Amino acid sequence: MQLTDEQQQIRDVARTFAQREIAPHAAEWDRAGGTPRELYAKMADVGLMGMMVDPCWGGAGADFVSYALAIEEVSAADGGISNMMAANNSPVAVAIQQSGTEQQKRDYLTKLTSGEWLGCIHLTEPHTGSDAAAIRTRATRDGDEYVLNGHKAFITAGSTSDVAMIVAVTNPSAGKRGMTTFITPTDNPGYRVIAKEDKLGHRTNDTCQVVFEDMRVPASDVLGEIGRGLGIALGNLSLGRIGVAAQATGGARAALKAAHSYAQERETFGRPIVEHQAISFTLAEMATQIEAARQLYLHAAQMRDQGLECAREASMAKLFASEMAERVASKAIQIHGGYGFLNDYPVEKIYRDVRVYQIYEGASEVQKLLISRMLDGVEG
């Protein structure tokens, strides 16, 4: 795919920022288990926190291809930070722009795009995962408010975000049409973080379990229509899957860069190991797989920008890129030998970070199921 001048410029801005402001600190922040809050304000200053939001609300007004390219660049510097960026951009900011009232946009959207606030999405529950329709969190009408009770899990930025987008059941007898999306500040008295998860990777962001205990949300903070909440939350599912493919591509690219650099410096039998065919061929295969993943996600992103149905292409991109990233990161460790197993070298962290891409936004098994259902016409 040939990028436009604007898309290349946005990619280059994201790359410069990520390599200057994130990459040098990523290992330190990983060990500390968090990221300085001011980083997200800096990201907002260069347009990364509301990329597809209209400039009248403080966004960059970029197309989806540009957003995906920027996600790859941030992920190449750190996977966890790219996940914070992704959650804030889509679904939260995009959903408020598409479905929010003018007042909600004034109250929430401009703060999200400026980096003053961070947003999080509350969909997954302890007993659910890919089966989003099985959620049990309840929202009961009480005058001009709704009272929410429930338990959410695997919430990115659950403890550090400022505004939550929450899917809850308002009509238990209506199935998927009985769910509604709410937005509320996380300092709401009924919002309580009960656990911060200790994770394999993505340690630069917080992943939490959150409970709502008689949490009152004004009816004016219903996002969109009553009963259409699942559609709002999942309406941009293809965007999320393309975004994960871009994240995986960025992580794999960082692994390749580290492996290639090490192979040029490490010597065995009197010459750099990059000159050994076993290593050079492995690097070539890694580079080819990364480029294939990039073209898959860019193709899907371009289809989305053109208003074309891209669910199949998004699932293919996510499936291939997420599984490719683990293979490439594993090969990078192998090229490092014993040093790749130590956290003195970046490939250990990269491997931990990329593993989750096969799980969230629909596990690989779900992507295969979806793709298998959309095989009609694939020969064409």
Side-chain angles (χ1 to χ4, degrees):
M1 175 182 164
Q2 187 67 35
L3 303 178
T4 66
D5 289 343
E6 182 178 359
Q7 288 164 348
Q8 291 181 55
Q9 289 169 3
I10 291 172
R11 178 201 63 192
D12 292 346
V13 167
R15 179 177 297 176
T16 298
F17 179 90
Q19 293 304 311
R20 184 184 66 236
E21 300 290 343
I22 299 175
H25 311 290
E28 173 192 349
W29 293 338
D30 176 77
R31 288 190 291 270
T35 306
R37 183 58 182 264
E38 57 267 24
L39 173 69
Y40 298 102
K42 291 181 180 179
M43 291 175 68
D45 287 342
V46 294
L48 296 176
M49 298 305 284
M51 291 197 66
M52 295 175 286
V53 174
D54 192 287
C56 71
W57 300 110
D63 62 6
F64 187 63
V65 167
S66 298
Y67 168 69
L69 289 165
I71 282 285
E72 178 186 333
E73 296 303 327
V74 174
S75 182
D78 182 81
I81 293 169
S82 75
N83 210 33
M84 296 281 281
M85 172 186 167
N88 198 80
N89 272 275
S90 177
V92 180
V94 167
I96 294 174
Q97 175 171 255
Q98 291 177 343
S99 302
T101 64
E102 293 300 301
Q103 187 62 50
Q104 288 170 341
K105 293 174 185 178
R106 284 192 293 270
D107 289 346
Y108 299 111
L109 195 52
T110 54
K111 292 179 180 178
L112 290 168
T113 59
S114 70
E116 179 183 351
W117 279 7
L118 293 175
C120 59
I121 169 73
H122 289 252
L123 180 61
T124 304
E125 299 184 357
H127 61 283
T128 69
S130 297
D131 186 10
I135 66 172
R136 298 172 184 166
T137 296
R138 294 289 188 263
T140 305
R141 186 73 183 246
D142 183 18
D144 293 332
E145 296 178 318
Y146 281 84
V147 181
L148 275 66
N149 285 281
H151 184 180
K152 299 292 185 177
F154 299 108
I155 306 303
T156 297
S159 66
T160 55
S161 59
D162 305 276
V163 59
M165 175 178 160
I166 303 165
V167 181
V169 176
T170 47
N171 184 355
S173 65
K176 293 180 180 180
R177 296 183 179 274
M179 301 183 191
T180 301
T181 296
F182 300 84
I183 46 177
T184 190
T186 57
D187 62 3
N188 188 315
Y191 183 104
R192 187 163 68 90
V193 176
I194 61 170
K196 293 183 182 179
E197 308 293 4
D198 188 9
K199 300 170 294 183
L200 174 70
H202 284 218
R203 296 178 180 175
T204 51
N205 72 38
D206 57 303
T207 301
C208 301
Q209 293 187 50
V210 179
V211 295
F212 313 126
E213 298 173 330
D214 292 329
M215 184 173 75
R216 291 185 170 270
V217 178
S220 58
D221 271 347
V222 168
L223 185 62
E225 298 179 31
I226 300 293
R228 298 295 180 90
L230 193 61
I232 291 172
L234 301 183
N236 290 305
L237 202 57
S238 291
L239 275 69
R241 288 171 178 166
I242 298 167
V244 175
Q247 286 182 295
T249 303
R253 196 183 91 203
L256 172 63
K257 179 181 178 181
H260 185 239
S261 177
Y262 182 81
Q264 290 176 311
E265 298 171 359
R266 177 79 163 96
E267 292 188 1
T268 61
F269 307 107
R271 55 178 174 165
I273 63 172
V274 73
E275 295 180 11
H276 296 300
Q277 190 177 82
I279 300 299
S280 64
F281 278 18
T282 298
L283 291 167
E285 290 171 355
M286 292 160 68
T288 301
Q289 291 178 43
I290 291 167
E291 186 59 31
R294 181 178 293 113
Q295 294 305 318
L296 277 171
Y297 89 65
L298 286 174
H299 174 60
Q302 186 179 56
M303 289 181 67
R304 190 270 182 188
D305 278 336
Q306 294 172 346
L308 302 174
E309 176 55 51
C310 62
R312 185 181 70 187
E313 290 74 13
S315 286
M316 288 178 170
K318 200 264 184 190
L319 173 64
F320 180 84
S322 63
E323 299 202 341
M324 173 279 298
E326 185 184 9
R327 291 194 303 270
V328 166
S330 180
K331 291 292 187 183
I333 290 175
Q334 193 71 17
I335 288 170
H336 280 73
Y339 292 110
F341 203 64
L342 307 180
N343 62 20
D344 296 345
Y345 288 80
V347 289
E348 175 267 346
K349 175 184 180 296
I350 294 169
Y351 186 87
R352 290 189 285 104
D353 281 347
V354 301
R355 183 58 183 86
V356 74
Y357 299 137
Q358 296 175 56
I359 299 172
Y360 65 40
E361 292 289 350
S364 289
E365 292 77 13
V366 171
Q367 304 310 319
K368 292 174 185 178
L369 178 64
L370 295 172
I371 294 165
S372 71
R373 291 174 176 173
M374 295 184 282
L375 288 179
D376 288 347
V378 73
E379 297 85 358

